[in-house]
Amino acid sequence: SDRLSVALKADGTVVRWGATFAGAIAFPTGLSGVTAIASSGGAAHALALKADGTVVAWGSNTLGKATVPVGLSNVVAIATGNSHSLALKADGTVVAWGSNTSGQLNIPPSLPRAYALAAGGSSSFALTGPRVYLLAPPQAQTVAAGGTATISVTATGSGTFTYQWRKDGVAIPGATANALSLANVSAANAAAYDVAVTDATGTLTSFPARLTVVPAGTPTNPGRLINLSILTSVTAADPLFTLGTVLGGAGTSGAKPLLVRAAGPSLSQLGVGGPLADPKLEMFSGQTVVSANDNWGGTAALSTAFAQVGAFPYTGGTSRDAAVYNAGQAAGNYTVQVSGVGGATGPVIAELYDATASGAFTTTTPRLVNVSVLKQIGAGETLTAGFVVGGATAKQVLIRAVGPTLGAAPFSIPGVMADPKLDLFSGQAVINANDNWGGGGTLATAFASVGAFALGSASKDAAILVMLAPGNYTAQVNGVSGTGGLTLVEVYEVP
């Protein structure tokens, strides 16, 4: 722009300078997780594409060119003209907004799948055809000396891909997979890494990801899952549900401060009608109960833990909500069972919180690796899984809603949901969605990397793999056409 300048830094933040205008949309403070930027000519507005596929705009907003369409998501490229803006989505479709005085918003209905965008003045351009059209970039990370760094890229398009990783612009011999793993890292590994992805029609090179290596034991505050929750109902037909979780992760050691809650009565303050009047929780390691609680009792230790992790307070010390806090929960696999005392029924939320202080978190600190729940979802009903990405960097997350594969051999479980659907929300906006996962190689690789069982390539199970900036997210699961059935819902961090 001749009146507005923007620069994208390697850490995903943006610097803005130049003119400001009355009535303009202010530059967003704290903007981070940005993978691309675009600015207009003399009209002085700009766009930022974030790692989660959403778009942020600021600057002059005449004719609505800086008003991002509500719900715009899955974006992989952006462009701006003097009076309009463009976004290319992962499915190859183009979205335009702003002025249409010269037809710049008239996307041809016959436009084939696009893989690149450009705009200038009052014109719009799209390159189309079969080739790599989405390259989700690798993410910057900080790793303690002696640890393992895994840097990965997600490419979507057509044909067969080949990969070549580079360190500070120099090709790394043998680094030809979609992920680069560096073991026992030292200061010599600190560099900017990018990858060239090639198919039959050309090559795209990713933005570089900076690897920083710090002394062993240094707090690094990496992106990670810090809260996992399931909102569902206990019913007479389904009187308890089991939530599974794993604490630990590759390269970690020691114990973790963990808060587990089952909130029923206190949901009334959040507008939930008829909540479970008296929930009980039991935490198992294998067949052994390692902790349990019926009524939390209003203890100071629990109240302090609630405040420390940012959990909503219970309505009072005599409420019949349940909670357990363990300052040193050993790494391992656990299940949490939630039921209603005396046959009570109603909505309940089960929650797991990582209570590790941000300043004390290092690359070797055990993490919340995943959460899963196998639950009967009634016809027309929705199960909601919430999670929070904490830390200072983005984190790749895998979310699955499995029904059909559970009904097939070797599981052969009866009554499964025939066609589950996933919607991923950031606030009120849907930022990603999936109905049938499609059997893609990238997803299959992600399943294997987290130790999840394979899905049938043609199954109607749902799955989402997405890089998410720190923040709060919810995944909603329901049946296509309002159908119900038994469904396994899973959220995993991806190494």
Side-chain angles (χ1 to χ4, degrees):
S1 168
D2 58 6
R3 290 182 286 176
L4 172 66
S5 298
V6 290
L8 174 61
K9 298 179 68 177
D11 63 0
T13 61
V14 175
V15 179
R16 178 258 188 230
W17 65 96
T20 57
F21 305 89
I25 297 176
F27 177 72
T29 59
L31 181 61
S32 62
V34 175
T35 60
I37 54 176
S39 61
S40 64
H45 78 290
L47 306 179
L49 172 60
K50 301 190 67 176
D52 62 4
T54 60
V55 176
V56 177
W58 66 92
S60 173
N61 194 34
T62 55
L63 302 175
K65 57 183 177 283
T67 301
V68 178
V70 174
L72 180 63
S73 61
N74 298 327
V75 176
V76 297
I78 50 176
T80 58
N82 282 349
S83 58
H84 71 294
S85 300
L86 299 173
L88 171 63
K89 302 188 69 173
D91 62 2
T93 60
V94 177
V95 178
W97 65 96
S99 171
N100 198 34
T101 55
S102 300
Q104 56 266 56
L105 306 188
N106 296 339
I107 307 299
S110 60
L111 180 72
R113 188 176 65 189
Y115 61 82
L117 284 179
S122 298
S123 300
S124 302
F125 310 90
L127 301 181
T128 64
R131 62 159 293 166
V132 180
Y133 66 95
L134 162 59
L135 194 60
Q139 297 296 306
Q141 57 184 280
T142 300
V143 178
T148 297
T150 300
I151 308 171
S152 63
V153 69
T154 300
T156 303
S158 59
T160 301
F161 302 140
T162 61
Y163 303 86
Q164 178 59 65
W165 287 91
R166 305 189 306 173
K167 176 185 177 184
D168 288 334
V170 178
I172 304 171
T176 55
N178 70 319
L180 174 67
S181 183
L182 304 171
N184 194 26
V185 297
S186 67
N189 296 111
Y193 292 85
D194 61 18
V195 60
V197 182
T198 303
D199 70 0
T201 58
T203 299
L204 288 179
T205 301
S206 72
F207 288 105
R210 171 65 60 177
L211 173 63
T212 302
V213 180
V214 299
T218 302
T220 55
N221 199 25
R224 60 196 184 275
L225 294 172
I226 61 172
N227 168 236
L228 301 164
S229 63
I230 300 292
L231 175 63
T232 186
S233 291
V234 170
T235 66
D238 199 7
L240 66 80
F241 72 90
T242 300
L243 181 150
T245 191
V246 177
L247 307 182
T252 66
S253 61
K256 166 169 292 304
L258 182 71
L259 173 65
V260 185
R261 307 204 311 174
S266 289
L267 292 180
S268 60
Q269 65 184 324
L270 305 180
V272 177
L276 184 63
D278 192 358
K280 176 185 178 182
L281 70 82
E282 296 176 290
M283 186 169 179
F284 292 79
S285 175
Q287 301 299 314
T288 304
V289 177
V290 295
S291 58
N293 181 254
D294 180 3
N295 303 323
W296 76 291
T299 67
L302 283 170
S303 294
T304 299
F306 293 1
Q308 179 184 340
V309 300
F312 65 87
Y314 286 163
T315 52
T318 60
S319 76
R320 293 186 174 182
D321 305 285
V324 170
Y325 174 70
N326 189 336
Q329 191 73 53
N333 299 347
Y334 296 94
T335 56
V336 177
Q337 288 190 352
V338 177
S339 58
V341 175
T345 61
V348 61
I349 185 168
E351 304 171 297
L352 302 170
Y353 290 91
D354 180 350
T356 307
S358 292
F361 205 96
T362 74
T363 55
T364 61
T365 302
R367 304 182 302 276
L368 283 174
V369 175
N370 69 31
V371 66
S372 62
V373 61
L374 181 63
K375 190 73 173 66
Q376 180 73 28
I377 301 176
E381 294 182 352
T382 297
L383 184 146
T384 300
F387 59 94
V388 178
V389 176
T393 60
K395 185 64 183 175
Q396 194 169 40
V397 176
L398 171 67
I399 309 159
R400 308 202 309 176
V402 184
T405 293
L406 295 180
F411 302 106
S412 301
I413 298 174
V416 299
M417 181 177 282
D419 191 358
K421 182 179 183 296
L422 268 172
D423 290 290
L424 179 62
F425 291 78
S426 175
Q428 300 299 311
V430 176
I431 61 172
N432 210 316
N434 181 255
D435 179 6
N436 304 325
W437 77 286
T442 300
L443 278 169
T445 299
F447 299 169
S449 72
V450 300
F453 60 83
L455 302 180
S457 60
S459 76
K460 293 186 176 182
D461 304 292
I464 292 172
L465 179 66
V466 62
M467 186 69 71
L468 296 174
N472 300 340
Y473 301 91
T474 54
Q476 291 190 353
V477 181
N478 51 44
V480 172
S481 301
T483 57
L486 193 67
T487 311
L488 176 66
V489 180
E490 304 168 299
V491 179
Y492 294 89
E493 66 155 34
V494 180

